[in-house]
Amino acid sequence: MVRRHLLRVATAVAAAVLATTGLQAVTGATASAAARTVYYDASRAGEFRTNFDAAARIWNSSVTNVQLVARTPGNVTIYVDNGWPRAQVTGLGSGRVWMGWEAVNQGYDRTRIATHELGHILGLPDRRTGLCTDLMSGSSAPVSCRNANPSAAEAAQVNRLFAGSTAASSQVARTYTWTGAEPDDAVTPMVVGGRPATENYPFMVYVSGCTGSLIKANWAVTAKHCGTPASVRVGSVNRTSGGTVVSVVRAVNHPTIDVKLLQLGSSVSYAPAPIPTTSGAVGTATRIIGWGQTCAPRGCGSAPAVANELDTSIVADTRCLGINAPYEICTNNTNGNSGACYGDSGGPQVRRINGAWSLIGVTSRAGNNNSTCATAPSIYGDLPSIRSWVNTQVGGLPAA
């Protein structure tokens, strides 16, 4: 009798301790191990509440060491806004989630988004494999992807994270965005220190949170780590108006560098940017253009409606960390404080040849792995170095 009483007291004390951290033991005859409960508050999720309830059910049927339960207040609070979906993780099983209308308006599946963002709360990082079967591939999978279930590997990773006594301390706080950087935290650049576009570049393409360039009447190029949207706006330096909105029917990723081709659903009448045979030597004057944020710290401001431009130049490869020198360009951060930043990803680096702009680069990442933009030169995909591959994929490029 005394031993049974002590056992009940010990169990109650353990449950109380776990509850204070928001992780509650789940008891019952069917539980083979002590599962933990993460409470989510979807009272502010509006019409998306049903999607988060569905996402919780998916996770609960996929993992055994943690269960998601609706409660107000919760360890996780869910909001809705007009930005991109994102998760602000403050610890394993805690944080905030936003269901952003940007992705919903692009046609991404609502329940897939909800399950993906809760995956971050449960400890999973982005894995932008481009595969629909991977839940954490997020926006790198086609917009047509409707899979909202974690893969076996993803479920197993969550179970490992919530196994044993390390559950409450094994997650580092950070923020994930639906169109955010690669898992290695490469910086997705935008133009800092530039100026609003001085020309109406006809080859500019707005790619839903990224930038791109028209290279043929029905083909555009952007960065591989950017999402594949249902449509793009072509031919305007204003991402909210002008030009032509055209559907995207297919994406083709380069096998080596951060370059992706987008096949458009129909041809447009705007002049594409020609890709020359060489990008240029060190010291070549270039210009970068994009809809990235115009202040340097990550998340310091929103993307401008009108694209910004910056005059810069090619610098020695040795100034960029982790560069694939034969296929990438190291591009100067002008005056040591100006360059590409978040949102410029996939955008053009151009240089004048015979008085006209030619496309040599695709904005990829920072050259120093620093989350603050323009603190070092940036890395661009070298399009002339892969021109023959691009030519094959698009069925023939216009003459350079």
Side-chain angles (χ1 to χ4, degrees):
M1 290 289 292
V2 172
R3 291 180 63 187
R4 287 199 298 271
H5 175 70
L6 290 175
L7 180 60
R8 286 196 297 271
V9 171
T11 301
V13 171
V17 171
L18 287 169
T20 64
T21 65
L23 300 172
Q24 177 177 302
V26 177
T27 59
T30 60
S32 59
R36 289 172 171 82
T37 298
V38 170
Y39 293 106
Y40 69 95
D41 179 2
S43 62
R44 299 171 178 84
E47 66 184 271
F48 300 108
R49 179 164 191 161
T50 57
N51 300 109
F52 281 95
D53 289 339
R57 289 193 295 271
I58 289 170
W59 276 115
N60 291 345
S61 65
S62 302
V63 298
T64 56
N65 287 347
V66 61
Q67 296 287 280
L68 292 160
V69 175
R71 189 186 74 177
T72 302
N75 311 111
V76 187
T77 306
I78 300 164
Y79 304 90
V80 179
D81 68 9
N82 291 324
W84 290 103
R86 58 200 183 277
Q88 185 181 69
V89 181
T90 56
L92 187 64
S94 64
R96 294 185 290 176
V97 167
W98 285 264
M99 172 63 87
W101 273 101
E102 282 273 9
V104 175
N105 290 338
Q106 288 298 322
Y108 287 100
D109 184 78
R110 299 180 179 200
T111 302
R112 175 175 166 82
I113 295 171
T115 314
H116 172 96
E117 300 304 336
L118 288 179
H120 289 314
I121 298 295
L122 298 180
L124 298 181
D126 283 316
R127 289 284 184 262
R128 298 187 183 278
T129 63
L131 300 176
C132 185
T133 52
D134 293 338
L135 177 67
M136 303 314 293
S137 66
S139 65
S140 70
V143 73
S144 59
C145 176
R146 295 293 180 264
N147 172 50
N149 294 288
S151 67
E154 291 167 332
Q157 186 176 352
V158 169
N159 274 331
R160 285 194 297 270
L161 288 169
F162 281 87
S165 60
T166 61
S169 60
S170 61
Q171 175 70 14
V172 177
R174 64 165 295 173
T175 299
Y176 298 91
T177 304
W178 184 252
T179 57
E182 293 282 88
D184 62 1
D185 289 333
V187 177
T188 306
M190 314 175 185
V191 175
V192 173
R195 58 183 179 265
T198 58
E199 303 177 33
N200 189 30
Y201 305 99
F203 52 82
M204 290 298 291
V205 179
Y206 179 62
V207 190
S208 304
C210 284
T211 305
S213 305
L214 189 70
I215 57 173
K216 191 176 180 179
N218 64 331
W219 284 90
V221 65
T222 188
K224 181 161 55 177
H225 72 258
C226 292
T228 301
S231 62
V232 294
R233 185 183 298 276
V234 183
S236 175
V237 294
N238 190 317
R239 64 185 177 88
T240 64
S241 64
T244 300
V245 176
V246 61
S247 65
V248 174
V249 296
R250 186 163 66 102
V252 182
N253 291 331
H254 188 269
T256 304
I257 61 173
D258 189 16
V259 168
K260 173 164 57 180
L261 303 176
L262 301 176
Q263 184 177 8
L264 308 183
S266 59
S267 295
V268 295
S269 58
Y270 302 99
I275 300 174
T277 56
T278 60
S279 54
V282 170
T284 298
T286 68
R287 178 173 290 180
I288 60 175
I289 314 164
W291 282 283
Q293 68 184 51
T294 57
C295 50
R298 186 170 189 165
C300 60
S302 58
V306 175
N308 273 230
E309 64 185 32
L310 174 70
D311 291 323
T312 182
S313 62
I314 297 174
V315 294
D317 294 332
T318 54
R319 293 186 57 187
C320 285
L321 297 177
I323 191 170
N324 185 346
Y327 300 104
E328 293 181 320
I329 303 168
C330 188
T331 302
N332 196 27
N333 59 324
T334 305
N335 298 320
N337 60 6
S338 301
C341 194
Y342 301 97
D344 287 324
S345 285
Q349 179 177 20
V350 294
R351 71 181 181 102
R352 285 200 181 273
I353 299 178
N354 297 324
W357 292 116
S358 291
L359 180 65
I360 64 169
V362 173
T363 314
S364 178
R365 62 196 185 278
N368 64 347
N369 295 322
N370 194 323
S371 62
T372 301
C373 302
T375 54
S378 298
I379 297 174
Y380 284 70
D382 187 338
L383 287 177
S385 73
I386 60 168
R387 193 180 192 281
S388 61
W389 176 84
V390 175
N391 187 68
T392 299
Q393 300 302 319
V394 305
L397 283 167

